[in-house]
Amino acid sequence: MAEHVRVMLTEEEVDAKINEIGRQISKDYEGRQVHLICVLKGGSFFMCELAKRITVPVSFDFMSVSSYGGDTKSSGVVKIVKDLDESIKDKDVIVIEDIIDSGRTLSYLLELLEQRGPKSLALCTLLDKPERRVVDVKVDYTGFQIPDEFVVGYGLDYDQRYRNLPYIGIVEFD
Ligand code: IMP
Ligand code: MG
């Protein structure tokens, strides 16, 4: 079956939004250092672009998580595939995600990170699908709220492909 990607948000629109978030974070964290935590792999493109636009000192780290399949998935249990390299104790942490869907991954992850004693913990996501939310999560910075459609690009994949697209699109089957 042939497939193609229909553009939902252009590269220019995404770039402009990341500029805006970068400015806001730089303002909110003035006089402090921010420690960005990228949730792999989807958050990687967003974090790199965002980090370039933040004017306060920045450090960052990576984490990789996956949902347990089957029954336990609904309980919101996620497995840490790759943990952080450094402690987040007393740091001003911002978790960087590609998209929040059900909210399960993030609510679990934020709880886990909170236990490690950061000075502050915020959440920044490029995309949000509020209609799909099952677990409540407080999002501090959102790029775009989008309808319930499966999107790719800017780090987001369909079967590991399309992460490299410089825009956000919807996979359509011909
Ligand atoms: P949730 O919020 O725990 O349901 O899961 C969010 C994760 O599911 C994201 O970090 C993505 O990896 C994946 N995901 C959710 N919606 C999409 C989508 O539209 N395209 C690609 N990946 C998605
Ligand atoms: Mg993700």
Side-chain angles (χ1 to χ4, degrees):
M1 199 162 36
E3 59 192 53
H4 69 274
V5 179
R6 177 162 55 87
V7 178
M8 178 191 255
L9 297 162
T10 65
E11 182 171 7
E12 289 72 26
E13 286 172 314
V14 176
D15 279 358
K17 186 60 79 174
I18 297 177
N19 267 326
E20 217 178 275
I21 299 175
R23 267 198 304 274
Q24 189 61 47
I25 288 176
S26 304
K27 195 166 145 234
D28 294 349
Y29 288 83
E30 209 181 327
R32 293 189 275 168
Q33 171 167 329
V34 288
H35 188 65
L36 308 180
I37 292 181
C38 171
V39 184
L40 293 169
K41 303 170 189 162
S44 56
F45 285 72
F46 179 37
M47 189 189 75
C48 292
E49 291 305 315
L50 181 62
K52 288 195 275 183
R53 275 105 160 174
I54 296 175
T55 53
V56 298
V58 172
S59 56
F60 54 73
D61 206 343
F62 299 89
M63 193 163 196
S64 183
V65 296
S66 73
S67 299
Y68 280 108
D71 286 349
T72 45
K73 199 179 175 200
S74 56
S75 66
V77 177
V78 301
K79 182 173 68 161
I80 297 178
V81 178
K82 183 220 169 294
D83 205 340
L84 299 170
D85 290 337
E86 291 153 44
S87 163
I88 56 167
K89 185 140 181 56
D90 300 326
K91 293 181 182 168
D92 287 307
V93 173
I94 308 177
V95 175
I96 310 293
E97 249 294 30
D98 49 0
I99 190 164
I100 302 178
D101 189 33
S102 70
R104 287 191 182 105
T105 312
L106 261 294
S107 75
Y108 176 85
L109 194 59
L110 290 175
E111 215 169 282
L112 181 115
L113 294 174
E114 193 59 69
Q115 288 164 13
R116 297 183 183 183
K119 182 156 55 149
S120 65
L121 184 60
L123 173 59
C124 174
T125 186
L126 180 60
L127 304 171
D128 185 8
K129 289 197 242 182
E131 287 168 45
R132 299 260 307 164
R133 198 73 89 255
V134 174
V135 185
D136 214 25
V137 274
K138 186 180 146 283
V139 189
D140 301 275
Y141 304 96
T142 303
F144 302 92
Q145 292 203 337
I146 60 166
D148 181 12
E149 304 240 37
F150 193 82
V151 290
V152 295
Y154 233 93
L156 289 148
D157 74 303
Y158 169 62
D159 205 11
Q160 295 306 322
R161 288 177 299 134
Y162 301 119
R163 292 191 195 276
N164 58 316
L165 295 180
Y167 54 86
I168 302 289
I170 300 169
V171 184
E172 289 181 338
F173 300 93
D174 307 312

